[in-house]
Amino acid sequence: MGDDPAMTGDKGVELRRDAEGLALVGDGMVLRADFARLLPRLRPDRLGRELLVRAARVRGVPDPRAVDATAGLGEDSLLLAAGGFAVTMFEQDPAIAALLRDALERAAHDPRLSGVVGRMELVEGDSVCGLRALGFSPDVVFLDPMFPERTKSAAVKKKFQLLHHLERPCDNEEELLGAALAAGPRKVVIKRPPKGPWLAGARPSHSVAGKAVRYDVIVPPRNGGGRSG
């Protein structure tokens, strides 16, 4: 497959395939999903210190399942899968989904990653609809609705500059959070800027925060005194 502008329309970027895989190209930048570069973070001595893994952890569940409702390039899903979750990923933009699918296919042939990506499933489509049509109740729903754009473009990572050509920060926070809660998870984990507001104004049960990111955790009440997360 060569250039595929049809996947991105007239948004100033296009998909190109080369010897290293599929890439999004535009504005003099090249963006490629590459799980191999995350291998140092997957080491057992580091994985347990990952803030997302700590925030998503559920106790007493032998085979936990997670839904990443805003998969993007799949890096957070990879961390969740390495942490033991079977992860269903939703990505609605066809170009971003193509980048993620290409990364999954390449990782499946890498013995260092094949076991982890074997627990990751990509669904191309709208996660609000997908969450309401799940055939199971996930243990965790993860939301990364993209941070609002900052006034200084230099403060935005280069990869997000390209992704913003395709997807904008979430403008339906209430609908997204409502669908996540309606799926009946043990917890909803939401990625936010360290000093950013709560998603849809919903107060979290607790937060796990670092210098660059904060994970707000909402633990819905479980009927009948169900197992806690």
Side-chain angles (χ1 to χ4, degrees), residues 130-142:
L131 282 165
R132 297 188 184 281
L134 285 177
F136 63 94
S137 293
D139 296 291
V140 172
V141 175
F142 174 64

Side-chain angles (χ1 to χ4, degrees), residues 41-184:
R41 297 174 64 183
L42 304 187
R43 296 197 325 243
D45 61 325
R46 291 188 58 180
L47 186 63
R49 299 199 299 268
E50 288 284 343
L51 297 182
L52 173 56
V53 174
R54 288 168 51 193
R57 184 176 293 120
V58 290
R59 303 186 185 281
V61 182
D63 298 302
R65 302 182 73 172
V67 171
D68 184 346
T70 48
L73 297 181
E75 294 182 359
D76 290 317
S77 286
L78 186 74
L79 292 173
L80 290 172
F85 285 90
V87 185
T88 299
M89 303 175 289
F90 285 96
E91 176 50 53
Q92 65 178 353
D93 184 88
I96 297 176
L99 291 170
L100 177 51
R101 187 175 295 108
D102 181 70
L104 290 168
E105 291 172 355
R106 283 184 279 114
H109 294 92
D110 185 333
R112 303 168 299 174
L113 291 164
S114 57
V116 177
V117 298
R119 294 194 289 272
M120 299 166 64
E121 176 189 13
L122 174 60
V123 178
E124 184 177 335
D126 177 62
S127 61
V128 171
C129 296
L131 282 165
R132 297 188 184 281
L134 285 177
F136 63 94
S137 293
D139 296 291
V140 172
V141 175
F142 174 64
L143 305 177
D144 176 9
M146 294 181 66
F147 298 169
E149 289 187 273
R150 304 180 176 105
T151 55
K152 296 181 180 179
S153 61
V156 183
K157 290 183 179 179
K158 283 188 176 182
K159 73 174 182 178
F160 290 120
Q161 292 180 36
L162 273 183
L163 289 181
H164 282 164
H165 283 277
L166 304 176
E167 289 188 329
R168 313 303 296 176
C170 178
D171 59 1
N172 61 340
E173 294 183 353
E174 292 83 3
E175 188 178 19
L176 180 62
L177 181 57
L181 291 168

